[in-house]
Amino acid sequence: MAGAEGDDSLYPIAVLIDELRNEDVQLRLNSIKKLSTIALALGVERTRTELLPFLTDTIYDEDEVLLALAEQLGSFTVLVGGPEFVHNLLPPLESLATVEETVVRDKAVESLRKISQEHSPVDLEVHFALVMPTLRQAAEDKSWRVRYMVADKFSELQKAVGPEITKTDLVPAFQNLLKDCEAEVRAAAANKVKVFCENLPEDSRETIIMTHILPCVKELVSDTNQHVKSALASVIMGLSTILGKDNTVEHLLPLFLVQLKDECPEVRLNIISNLDCVNEVIGIRQLSQSLLPAIVELAEDAKWRVRLAIIEYMPLLAGQLGVEFFDEKLNSLCMAWLIDHVFAIREAATCNLMKLVEKFGAEWAQNTIVPKVLGMANDSNYLHRMTTLFCINALSGVCGQEITTKHMLPVVLKMSTDQVANVRFNVARCLQKIGPVLDSSALQAEVKPVLEKLATDQDMDVKYFALEAISVLALA
């Protein structure tokens, strides 16, 4: 019986050998897809000693079979006996990572990354040195997709291999990826700059960054591809917390300035939206001396879309820089946008004011914003007078009942006799909008008579919006 049992235990391997030698590709593919079942039948020891060597030595096959094999091996950790035996998967995966077909190499690199995370730290030190030649090859692969895969998963690789291998092998590999001839690879690597630098060994972090990484970053700042520049801009500010004040002022600020003036809006906005981490490192004074002039320049840019982009980031900037600084340096810009010749800018500037009041409070609004907004009600340009109404629409809710009733309402009511019909019907719309903020006595005594008068206006639109307001506010 024992003999028969022995023969039985050889059965899965014998069948596999048979199927993998079959001429039918589909049959070979199916047998690869059943590998985990075969491994289970063999048990962990025989999987390690028989199945894996057989696969490593005998697989020269169609790409789809090799692809299936590369994928299967990525989830083989348990089947070889767990993390301490996972190094047994390195030989077949290494050999798959060197085949001709890109998608196979891609999948093999992905599986190598997957199993590297399952290594115990001790095993990594011992066995991952064996993988480094393959990783190096993958990082320099002739197919950009394989190099992209390495760049995209670089921080995971870095964590997997530990500090020593990072210093000796990954730093040069990362430099090469940052200088890659394909923009997609450079962008993927640029995206990892901050994380890679954060995870460098502390004792040599600054030296490695200043000597090896920063020169590559300086080149990427003026890359020809906007996706690369944008990827870098989204993380570059984070280097300031790693490198500290002096290095930031000397080496990083000039780069931020270049990116702030980049022709690509996404690059500029990625810089603006991360200003707070630089502010924490170098302080508001230094920041305002260096970066603020560039922001002001963009705010007055001849292209309206550039101005629009800056407006949208103004509440964020205001929150990062604080109210005093904002009032001193940026408030006048925000008011200037209200009389911009492009409607989209005036509209965005109105919305911006509302967000600023949400940030800084009603008292600030009453002292700083409201008087300037209301002053525009007397402007000779009717578009600017209408902007006053749009601002009141946006601000009444955040400023509250007292400011709206005391300061804004009288101005709106006065504008109901404007010569321009467009202004008058916007008065009706404005009263409808601010009505819910007002108390009932103001509605009855002040708003109702004005709306009734507008409801008899000669202009059809004025009449329509006045009647709508009366109905919505239940003043009929």
Side-chain angles (χ1 to χ4, degrees), residues 126-386:
V126 179
H127 298 289
F128 229 90
L130 304 171
V131 182
M132 277 324 293
T134 309
L135 258 181
R136 254 182 249 120
Q137 251 176 316
E140 294 164 12
D141 197 280
K142 62 178 185 283
S143 160
W144 72 267
R145 288 179 186 282
V146 175
R147 301 196 305 276
Y148 171 85
M149 191 77 182
V150 175
D152 192 44
K153 306 295 178 190
F154 215 81
S155 40
E156 288 100 319
L157 289 169
Q158 185 185 8
K159 284 175 191 159
V161 301
E164 287 314 307
I165 294 176
T166 291
K167 277 196 279 193
T168 54
D169 291 274
L170 290 195
V171 170
F174 193 57
Q175 281 177 284
N176 289 339
L177 291 168
L178 289 169
K179 295 176 180 174
D180 197 275
C181 59
E182 286 293 335
E184 282 89 343
V185 179
R186 293 198 302 280
N191 223 348
K192 302 290 174 192
V193 164
K194 182 191 168 203
V195 183
F196 181 74
C197 292
E198 273 175 343
N199 293 326
L200 287 168
E202 210 167 315
D203 57 345
S204 52
R205 183 184 296 153
E206 191 176 322
T207 313
I208 292 173
I209 295 171
M210 298 306 290
T211 317
H212 301 289
I213 307 301
L214 203 61
C216 301
V217 166
K218 282 179 179 171
E219 284 175 36
L220 291 179
V221 161
S222 46
D223 197 277
T224 50
N225 183 285
Q226 71 179 57
H227 299 297
V228 176
K229 291 186 290 188
S230 183
L232 181 67
S234 66
V235 298
I236 190 172
M237 310 295 265
L239 290 181
S240 53
T241 46
I242 302 167
L243 288 174
K245 184 172 181 175
D246 293 345
N247 282 327
T248 297
V249 171
E250 190 180 341
H251 299 285
L252 294 178
L253 274 183
L255 303 182
F256 300 159
L257 271 174
V258 172
Q259 293 204 291
L260 252 184
K261 293 181 177 179
D262 195 276
E263 76 277 3
C264 169
E266 205 173 312
V267 174
R268 297 194 300 267
L269 296 189
N270 281 344
I271 291 293
I272 289 173
S273 56
N274 289 294
L275 276 180
D276 53 345
C277 56
V278 183
N279 189 8
E280 280 167 29
V281 176
I282 66 171
I284 194 73
R285 189 168 297 279
Q286 182 79 52
L287 185 67
S288 66
Q289 284 168 3
S290 50
L291 296 185
L292 214 73
I295 290 170
V296 172
E297 203 178 304
L298 292 171
E300 295 166 345
D301 196 278
K303 297 188 191 74
W304 71 267
R305 288 182 190 280
V306 175
R307 301 199 298 280
L308 183 65
I310 293 295
I311 295 174
E312 286 167 354
Y313 270 84
M314 204 42 83
L316 179 72
L317 256 180
Q320 289 171 2
L321 304 173
V323 65
E324 284 171 34
F325 183 86
F326 179 82
D327 280 347
E328 188 190 330
K329 307 280 186 188
L330 298 173
N331 196 344
S332 54
L333 270 180
C334 291
M335 300 314 294
W337 284 321
L338 290 171
I339 53 172
D340 196 279
H341 65 278
V342 176
F343 175 73
I345 298 291
R346 299 197 299 273
E347 188 179 37
T350 304
C351 183
N352 171 49
L353 286 189
M354 183 182 75
K355 288 177 182 165
L356 291 172
V357 176
E358 282 170 354
K359 219 171 257 303
F360 294 149
E363 194 182 331
W364 172 81
Q366 187 177 343
N367 297 331
T368 318
I369 297 266
V370 173
K372 292 177 182 172
V373 165
L374 299 182
M376 289 163 55
N378 302 316
D379 198 295
S380 58
N381 184 331
Y382 86 95
L383 293 172
H384 298 170
R385 300 201 295 278
M386 288 202 338

Side-chain angles (χ1 to χ4, degrees), residues 64-97:
E64 55 189 317
V65 177
L66 296 181
L67 180 64
L69 177 59
E71 188 169 9
Q72 287 278 317
L73 292 175
S75 48
F76 244 59
T77 302
V78 178
L79 299 170
V80 294
E84 61 185 299
F85 295 105
V86 85
H87 59 269
N88 288 279
L89 294 170
L90 297 180
L93 281 172
E94 283 185 317
S95 103
L96 287 164

